[in-house]
């Protein structure tokens, strides 16, 4: 991996010294921002396509665009958490079941135990973050692959959902419904509380990943764990922190999902970890870690959301096309990534 | 020191060192847990010429998992992983059932065989695609197979038009729910697949090649092993196994459900492989261990049902098993927790008659 980084700088040096030799296409392929730009371009193209096709059905209204944030706020938060993990070279499969668990946990505490929501929210966030911390601890201290540890987390949290209750719990709490119905007007349209929280999380993640020491460490570890260790970076602390962040984000996503759907159900968000990973990959973050932008994740989520809303507007298309389209996009972006990394290696 | 005192511990040690010891021990322990709750747990009886009993049903319900896990073992042995098996199960079931349901006579043997052929070919094509992405394009296996995992279920739903297709075909019912020679037919299918796999990997050089590719794909290529071809073959084999499992699942329920058929089976299969002692890092594998691992998972499920624990805690138990097995496999964990014991064992090899845990106790008492 260090060889990759070295050759990358060497390749950049070469293109700088002999610009005439490097073809424009090769330079474009070598640009780290390419996947993000492609995703942004794709989003724009899809949006314009939708605009021309469903103009008469009100596709062009700003609210339709803002609904992308309202309907996918929870996915955005979960995907931001997944971005941290993937950036560090790991993977977190427990996202979906942690979201499901949070909806169930909060619904149970609020409805069955009568606890006030303001007390339940920090409790749920704490449980999520602690779950992530535990997984990170096991991954780092016992050197077990993240894949298998978070798989255990997936089973555990999904199981805990079912232990709380087999049936879904609908939430009739007045605080929850008033929070769910809160709309913030933006002039052109309005955003829900969940969407605002998601955007705040995105901004915070952007700041942390690109402007803090912790963010640099995440990139460094994802780029090359050995080198990061030799440089004296606190490997264990950072790794554990990354999974804690992911657990926290998953719990927060769970709270937003609970607000969005106003119920707790043991089968909520089954397989959402894959949506989150897909959003991160489509957003251009390298799955091997060490390279990517959290803004790309935003575009990844928006593209996935736009597919869903286009399918809704189309009316005749069925929901399984969402899965197929996601798979095809995933494939295309993985191949783009692959083309970029081979370019760097040669 | 008398001679038996020396040989007994060494024989015991040889037994405990065998790679199948712990999986089998766990399996036996799990089976024994059932006895206090259902005293006739090990009894089996004949009815209508069929053999019934808890052990038979464990194997019957565990068969799809064993099949998928056997295929997964070889993939993991090459250092890969296949997340798409659940989707392949769904696609195969969907294609086969939709073809059979279109037939005028669903009991016609030719139609059923053709339908199964179509399903299995589709499965192998999925495997070829996975293998192509992993071996030719050099994409990480977990990501390459993620594509079919996401898109495959969509394809399966597309084939069944989002419905659950039910069929009524006697010959097709045999594979997953029928009986032959008093035993469930699926046991014979599983036995055949396992036998072929073991024969191919242990009686020919194929197993060695797979392990070599898993150990170091680049080095294997340099010594002249076609590591890419081996990888593609292994993914195709894994998908074929998943396809057979898909036939079995859809045949057992006489229905194809694009959404739920084989849901999470990839995770169970990986779990079975890990319990069976195959390292996720690749390089060596144990088909026998995987079969035992799959049986452990199925026995765990059955045990949870029989001892009256609410079924919803099933997943929590599984999570606990995953964590315990992984922790026990981790050298670092063993060093931290059993560190004292391990040291005592290495420093005192000359006196095997002393219980291994005696030394730390003495130190504590001092």
């Amino acid at each position: 991996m260090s060889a990759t980084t070295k050759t990358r700088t060497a390749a950049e040096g070469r293109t700088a010294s002999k610009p005439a030799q490097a073809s424009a296409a090769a330079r474009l392929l070598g640009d780290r921002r390419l996947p993000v730009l492609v995703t942004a371009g794709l989003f724009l193209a899809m949006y314009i396509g939708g605009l021309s096709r469903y103009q008469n059905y009100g596709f062009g209204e700003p609210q339709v665009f803002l609904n992308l944030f309202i309907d996918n706020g929870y996915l955005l938060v979960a995907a931001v958490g997944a971005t941290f993990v993937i950036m560090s070279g790991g993977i977190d499969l427990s996202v979906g079941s942690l979201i499901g668990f949070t909806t169930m946990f909060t619904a149970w505490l609020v409805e069955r135990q009568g606890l006030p929501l303001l007390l339940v929210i920090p409790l749920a966030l704490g449980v999520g973050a602690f779950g992530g911390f535990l997984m990170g601890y096991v991954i780092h201290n016992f050197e077990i692959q993240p894949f298998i540890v978070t798989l255990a987390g997936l089973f555990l949290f999904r199981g805990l959902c079912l232990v709380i209750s087999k049936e879904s719990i609908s939430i009739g709490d007045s605080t929850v419904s008033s929070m769910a119905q809160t709309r913030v007007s933006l002039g052109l349209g309005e955003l829900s509380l969940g969407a605002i929280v998601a955007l705040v999380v995105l901004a915070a993640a952007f700041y942390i990943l690109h402007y803090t020491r912790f963010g640099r460490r995440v990139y460094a570890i994802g780029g090359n764990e050995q080198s990061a260790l030799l440089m004296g970076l606190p490997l264990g602390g950072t790794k554990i922190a990354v999974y804690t962040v992911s657990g926290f984000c998953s719990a927060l996503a769970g709270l937003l999902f609970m607000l969005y759907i106003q119920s707790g159900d043991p089968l909520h968000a089954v397989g959402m970890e894959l949506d989150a990973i897909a959003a991160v990959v489509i957003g251009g973050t390298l799955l091997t870690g060490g390279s990517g932008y959290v803004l790309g994740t935003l575009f990844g989520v928006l593209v996935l959301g736009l597919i869903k809303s286009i399918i809704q507007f189309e009316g005749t298309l069925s929901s399984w096309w969402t899965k197929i389209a996601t798979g095809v996009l995933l494939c295309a972006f993985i191949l783009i990534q692959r083309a970029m990394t081979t370019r760097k290696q040669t | 020191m008398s001679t038996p005192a020396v040989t007994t511990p060494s024989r015991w040690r040889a037994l405990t060192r065998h790679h199948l010891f712990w999986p089998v021990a766990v399996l036996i322990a799990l089976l024994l847990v059932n006895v206090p709750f259902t005293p006739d747990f090990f009894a089996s009886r004949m009815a209508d010429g069929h053999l019934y009993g808890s052990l038979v049903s464990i194997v019957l319900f565990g068969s799809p998992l064993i099949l998928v896990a056997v295929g997964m073992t070889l993939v993991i042995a090459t250092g890969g992983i296949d997340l798409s098996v659940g989707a392949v199960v769904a696609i195969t079931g969907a294609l086969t059932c939709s073809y059979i349901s279109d037939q005028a006579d669903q009991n016609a043997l030719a139609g059923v065989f053709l339908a199964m052929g179509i399903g299995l070919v589709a499965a192998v094509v999925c495997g070829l695609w996975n293998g192509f992405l992993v071996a030719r394009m050099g994409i990480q296996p977990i990501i390459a197979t993620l594509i079919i995992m996401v898109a495959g279920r969509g394809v399966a739903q597309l084939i069944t038009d989002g419905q659950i297709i039910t069929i009524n075909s006697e010959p097709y019912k045999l594979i997953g729910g029928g009986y032959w020679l008093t035993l469930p037919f699926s046991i014979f299918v599983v036995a055949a697949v396992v036998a072929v796999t073991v024969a191919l990997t242990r009686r020919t050089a194929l197993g060695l090649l797979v392990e070599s590719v898993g150990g170091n794909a680049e080095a294997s290529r340099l010594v002249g092993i076609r590591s890419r071809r081996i990888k593609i073959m292994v993914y195709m084999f894994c998908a074929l196994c998943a396809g057979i499992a898909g036939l079995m699942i859809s045949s057992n329920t006489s229905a194809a459900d694009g959404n739920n058929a084989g849901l999470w089976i990839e995770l169970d299969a990986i779990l079975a492989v890990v319990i069976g002692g195959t390292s996720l890092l690749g390089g060596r594998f144990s088909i026998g261990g995987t079969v035992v691992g799959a049986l452990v998972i199925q026995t765990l499920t059955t045990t949870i049902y029989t001892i009256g624990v609410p079924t919803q805690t099933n997943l929590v138990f599984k999570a606990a098993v995953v964590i315990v097995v992984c922790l026990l496999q981790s050298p670092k964990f063993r060093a931290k927790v059993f560190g004292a014991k391990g040291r005592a064992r290495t420093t005192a090899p000359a006196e095997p008659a002393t219980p291994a845990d005696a030394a730390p106790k003495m130190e504590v008492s001092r």
Side-chain angles (χ1 to χ4, degrees):
Chain A
M1 209 71 74
S2 71
T4 323
T5 342
K6 261 183 230 159
T7 45
R8 185 189 303 149
T9 43
E12 276 166 9
R14 226 184 304 137
T15 46
S17 57
K18 301 174 196 166
Q21 283 184 358
S23 68
R27 220 180 313 144
L28 190 66
L29 265 182
D31 194 331
R32 277 161 163 235
R33 287 167 301 180
L34 175 75
V36 183
L37 293 177
V38 169
T39 314
L42 180 72
F43 174 74
L44 212 64
M46 280 168 61
Y47 192 75
I48 292 170
L51 215 56
S52 62
R53 195 168 160 87
Y54 315 113
Q55 181 66 56
N56 301 333
Y57 302 98
F59 193 84
E61 280 174 24
Q63 190 58 49
V64 171
F65 179 75
L66 291 177
N67 279 349
L68 285 179
F69 291 90
I70 296 177
D71 296 338
N72 299 293
Y74 55 91
L75 181 59
L76 179 58
V77 173
V80 164
T83 310
F84 274 83
V85 176
I86 292 175
M87 210 82 96
S88 79
I91 199 146
D92 189 351
L93 294 182
S94 69
V95 171
S97 60
L98 195 45
I99 292 175
F101 172 74
T102 309
T103 65
M104 208 59 202
F105 183 65
T106 47
W108 180 69
L109 284 182
V110 169
E111 285 298 309
R112 300 279 162 86
Q113 308 297 315
L115 288 183
L117 186 68
L118 287 178
L119 187 73
V120 172
I121 288 177
L123 207 58
L125 291 178
V127 169
F130 182 67
F133 169 80
L134 271 188
M135 286 187 276
Y137 183 84
V138 172
I139 289 167
H140 173 69
N141 282 300
F142 303 133
E143 287 177 355
I144 307 176
Q145 283 170 316
F147 171 79
I148 200 85
V149 175
T150 54
L151 176 65
L154 183 156
F155 280 137
L156 180 68
F157 284 111
R158 194 58 77 185
L160 287 176
C161 280
L162 291 162
V163 170
I164 292 176
S165 166
K166 263 193 281 187
E167 271 100 51
S168 69
I169 305 174
S170 66
I171 303 176
D173 186 72
S174 57
T175 336
V176 174
S177 46
S178 68
M179 274 173 83
Q181 280 153 18
T182 306
R183 288 287 183 272
V184 181
S185 181
L186 290 180
L188 288 170
E190 48 193 15
L191 280 179
S192 68
L193 198 62
I196 302 279
V197 172
L199 288 174
V200 169
V201 168
L202 180 76
F206 183 80
Y207 176 76
I208 291 173
L209 270 178
H210 300 302
Y211 293 100
T212 66
R213 219 181 292 170
F214 174 67
R216 286 287 106 196
R217 282 178 193 157
V218 173
Y219 273 97
I221 288 176
N224 188 331
E225 210 173 296
Q226 288 290 306
S227 308
L229 186 66
L230 292 175
M231 273 164 66
L233 293 185
L235 192 64
T238 311
K239 259 181 151 178
I240 294 174
V242 159
Y243 287 95
T244 312
V245 165
S246 175
F248 178 85
C249 283
S250 304
L252 186 57
L255 286 172
L256 299 186
F257 194 67
M258 187 268 296
L259 273 187
Y260 181 70
I261 216 149
Q262 294 199 27
S263 72
D265 189 295
L267 290 178
H268 271 337
V270 166
M272 196 171 284
E273 58 279 347
L274 301 172
D275 285 346
I277 294 170
V280 174
V281 174
I282 294 173
T285 300
L286 274 192
L287 274 158
T288 42
S291 170
Y293 299 92
V294 74
L295 274 186
T297 302
L298 170 68
F299 281 111
V301 171
L302 287 180
V303 165
L304 292 185
L306 196 57
I307 293 175
K308 269 187 247 167
S309 51
I310 284 182
I311 284 169
Q312 274 166 19
F313 269 87
E314 186 67 36
T316 55
L317 280 169
S318 310
S319 64
W320 49 83
W321 283 109
T322 318
K323 288 178 188 167
I324 296 177
T326 310
V328 170
L329 276 182
L330 196 60
C331 181
F333 279 84
I334 289 168
L335 290 177
I336 291 177
Q337 288 190 358
R338 188 59 208 160
M340 286 181 64
T341 43
T342 19
R343 168 75 204 149
K344 278 170 198 156
Q345 273 160 12
T346 46
Chain B
M1 212 180 279
S2 61
T3 334
V6 179
T7 51
T8 317
S10 68
R11 202 176 287 162
W12 171 247
R13 189 175 294 168
L15 187 66
T16 53
R17 287 256 174 91
H18 192 268
H19 67 276
L20 280 181
F21 175 77
W22 285 111
V24 171
V26 170
L27 180 60
I28 293 173
L30 268 177
L31 287 171
L32 288 178
V33 164
N34 284 286
V35 175
F37 297 93
T38 35
D40 56 347
F41 184 75
F42 288 101
S44 46
R45 61 198 161 75
M46 297 288 286
D48 309 334
H50 298 161
L51 194 65
Y52 288 98
S54 304
L55 293 180
V56 177
S57 53
I58 286 175
V59 181
L60 173 62
F61 293 123
S63 336
L65 180 59
I66 297 176
L67 281 178
V68 173
V70 163
M72 185 74 83
T73 310
L74 292 187
V75 168
I76 289 180
T78 64
I81 205 151
D82 190 348
L83 294 182
S84 70
V85 284
V88 172
V89 163
I91 291 177
T92 312
L95 265 180
T96 309
C97 287
S98 65
Y99 188 82
I100 292 181
S101 71
D102 287 343
Q103 301 279 302
D105 177 17
Q106 297 194 1
N107 288 326
L109 266 181
V112 170
F113 275 117
L114 187 58
M116 283 161 51
I118 291 173
L120 291 181
V121 165
V124 171
V125 168
C126 288
L128 180 64
W129 168 252
N130 283 334
F132 172 77
L133 285 184
V134 172
R136 290 277 157 192
M137 306 300 290
I139 295 167
Q140 287 164 282
I142 188 172
I143 306 311
T145 54
L146 187 67
I147 297 171
I148 292 191
M149 185 186 187
V150 174
R153 271 191 199 283
V155 171
Q157 279 170 290
L158 183 70
I159 294 166
T160 62
D161 212 17
Q163 309 289 314
I164 296 176
I165 294 183
T166 51
I167 53 167
N168 190 11
S169 166
E170 279 306 315
Y172 188 58
K173 180 84 188 161
L174 176 71
I175 306 167
Y179 283 79
W180 190 53
L181 296 178
T182 76
L183 283 174
F185 187 74
S186 54
I187 290 182
F188 293 100
V189 177
V190 168
V193 171
V194 171
V196 167
T197 315
V198 170
L200 278 179
T201 54
R202 292 301 180 216
R203 295 280 165 238
T204 72
L206 205 58
L208 195 67
L209 299 185
V210 165
E211 290 186 332
S212 152
V213 168
N216 189 334
E218 189 57 22
S220 320
R221 200 184 61 77
L222 290 176
V223 297
I225 297 171
R226 297 178 188 272
S227 61
R228 287 177 170 180
R229 194 177 289 178
I230 297 262
K231 275 191 183 175
I232 294 179
M233 271 169 52
V234 159
Y235 279 94
M236 284 166 74
F237 177 74
C238 180
L240 179 66
C241 287
I244 300 174
L247 293 182
M248 220 174 248
I249 290 172
S250 64
S251 145
N252 195 15
T253 55
S254 281
D257 181 352
N259 220 6
N260 293 317
L263 194 63
W264 289 346
I265 202 168
E266 54 275 341
L267 304 181
D268 276 350
I270 293 164
L271 182 53
V273 174
V274 172
I275 292 176
T278 298
S279 161
L280 278 173
L281 300 173
R284 70 188 162 80
F285 67 92
S286 158
I287 299 283
T290 297
V291 173
V292 175
L295 288 175
V296 165
I297 294 175
Q298 193 57 43
T299 310
L300 184 67
T301 314
T302 312
T303 308
I304 290 167
Y305 286 130
T306 49
I307 68 177
V309 176
T311 50
Q312 57 267 32
T313 50
N314 194 337
L315 281 171
V316 178
F317 272 88
K318 257 184 210 168
V321 171
V322 184
I323 293 167
V324 169
V325 169
C326 287
L327 285 181
L328 287 179
Q329 281 187 358
S330 151
K332 256 200 151 180
F333 178 80
R334 282 191 304 227
K336 270 182 191 171
V337 178
F338 310 114
K341 281 187 190 178
R343 236 175 288 131
R345 206 173 281 161
T346 48
T347 50
E351 32 185 69
T354 323
D357 54 349
K361 269 183 199 159
M362 275 162 65
E363 274 170 31
V364 170
S365 64
R366 252 181 248 157

